[in-house]
Amino acid sequence: MTQQGSHGQLDHAERAEAFNRDAGRVDWHDETLWFVRAKRDRAAKLLPEWEALREAASTIKHNVLDNLHDYLLEFEKQAQANGVTVHWAENATEHNAIVYKIISDAGVTNMVKSKSMLTEECHLNDFLLAKGIDVIDTDLGERIVQLAGEPPSHIVLPCIHWKKEEIGELFAKHLGTTPGASDPGYLTASARAHLRQHFMTSRVALTGVNFGVAETGEFVVCTNEGNADLGVQLADVHIACMGIEKIIPKREHLGVFLRLLARSATGQPVTTYSSHFRRPRKGQQVHIVLVDNGRTTRLASPDFRNALKCIRCGACMNTCPVYRRSGGHSYHYAVAGPIGAILAPGLDAKAFGDLPFASTLCGSCTYVCPVKIDIHDQLYKWRQVIVKEGYVTASKTAAMNTMATVLSTPSLFRNAGGVGRWLMRLLPGLVNNRFNPWYRQREMPKPPTTTFQNWYKENRRKA
Ligand code: SF4
């Protein structure tokens, strides 16, 4: 396992193949996410100013990236003035060590956590578990995948790949619910009772951060379940982990992002809870950990810096035909889908070199992105970087070189069609065999009787 989150050696295509063995699940996963995408479309259409909001969000984020250093220092100063302890972590190792030190200083061995993709990126749960700290994820979807021993498969809908019957079996095993029960109301009530015990007894609560406001030093956490608020209100110590790109300049900018975030994520007008944390209440400690983990390297890269504008709404996943039919785990990184496929290679181009190829480049991700990230352009650019660095397989390189020679040599190109048709007719096994991954999922059509060039010459003459 790499530090950045590769969960093994299988690439996206191989993992997608495993997901595709259950055809029923693939169809249902695809349809469910498309349903969420359609809700997003309806919510966006209800706002005549939708495109203006996207433009405003994009402009604000560009300004943040251009002045990140200053906004971070302003945020630190204001947060400290509010009585918050600010920590800086250069990478995942430092982040995990800081969080562990705060927990150790509090003298506890358990903690509740609300959803934070940054802690997934840093593999915090595994790290703390090895140190004897019990971490309970309190977002329902996160708790389900945690009980199953899996990472989330989607940044907003972490267990979207699970059916309610399977969740019933999981809860019967771990929470003692009635075997065979799959009623969502019953299962949710059981999870609530189970989580409540942990909320009541945890003196440390960790949350992610959706937005840090430089002007005031406050930060905002958006949830639909209120689990972040409950954990923080009952704990003596609040740890908030924030990627440095989550800064926005002023409180007045929050309205732009809050209106875009929930509509893009689930089609809701706003998340159920948008909680503002500014200063510790009496007797409470608040720590904020500002994490780089490769972000400043990306900031210095003109082609890829815009990926830092991401507000983690998940809309690009819901719309992506490849994500919907390959599942989040096929991306083997904390953040799946199109945005994961442009973030992960920035951390390790070799380990995640397969991800930019997991796309049709249809551009739907770019179309729905509320902060106007040029996602499909970046996917295309990453492919070029990965090929240049030599991180694609030898067979793919050889095939591409052959193709380049054929396409750039008119005489070869003219004859290639004829030779190809001849081969497919006389030796179909040469093309249609188990070593050809394209053929494994498809039926090869019969070779055409003529090449397009010949057909064109003939028909053009007739016309
Ligand atoms: S890249 Fe855009 S659409 Fe995808 S999660 Fe980030 S903000 Fe949302």
Side-chain angles (χ1 to χ4, degrees), residues 255-268:
V256 174
F257 292 100
L258 292 178
R259 295 183 80 198
L260 287 166
L261 178 63
R263 285 181 172 89
S264 300
T266 57
Q268 295 165 253

Side-chain angles (χ1 to χ4, degrees), residues 155 309-316 339 365 368-371 373 375:
I155 56 178
K309 294 195 295 180
C310 177
I311 57 171
R312 303 288 193 270
C313 70
C316 57
I339 180 63
C365 46
V368 297
C369 179
V371 286
I373 299 174
I375 307 172

Side-chain angles (χ1 to χ4, degrees), residues 50-156:
W50 182 254
E51 287 307 316
L53 275 175
R54 287 179 76 216
E55 190 58 41
S58 175
T59 307
I60 295 166
K61 282 285 185 180
H62 273 298
N63 174 275
V64 167
L65 296 183
D66 288 346
N67 302 286
L68 189 58
H69 174 86
D70 294 334
Y71 286 131
L72 282 169
L73 291 182
E74 188 185 350
F75 178 77
E76 179 187 41
K77 194 170 139 209
Q78 297 301 338
Q80 285 170 340
N82 295 337
V84 173
T85 308
V86 180
H87 308 259
W88 296 84
E90 191 183 337
N91 50 39
T93 308
E94 282 189 18
H95 165 267
N96 292 348
I98 291 166
V99 173
Y100 176 60
K101 170 103 180 29
I102 299 168
I103 298 170
S104 305
D105 289 350
V108 299
T109 54
N110 66 314
M111 174 180 83
V112 286
K113 177 158 88 67
S114 75
K115 191 147 67 66
S116 154
M117 292 319 295
L118 178 62
T119 59
E120 293 291 336
E121 177 186 320
C122 296
H123 299 289
L124 180 70
N125 282 16
D126 292 344
F127 173 84
L128 291 179
L129 199 64
K131 298 274 186 194
I133 308 288
D134 195 15
V135 181
I136 302 295
D137 278 307
T138 57
D139 173 274
L140 180 57
E142 285 265 319
R143 185 64 181 145
I144 290 167
V145 290
Q146 188 183 33
L147 288 173
E150 290 181 352
S153 69
H154 187 291
I155 56 178
V156 175

Side-chain angles (χ1 to χ4, degrees), residues 33-34 37-38 40-41 54 264 313-324 338-339 359-370 372-377 379:
L33 288 164
W34 189 252
R37 154 77 208 259
R40 171 259 172 220
D41 288 352
R54 287 179 76 216
S264 300
C313 70
C316 57
M317 300 177 184
N318 304 340
T319 200
C320 176
V322 175
Y323 175 87
R324 283 189 276 116
I339 180 63
S359 170
T360 61
L361 299 184
C362 66
S364 187
C365 46
T366 304
Y367 171 74
V368 297
C369 179
K372 294 188 141 186
I373 299 174
D374 51 342
I375 307 172
H376 74 292
D377 281 340
L379 286 166

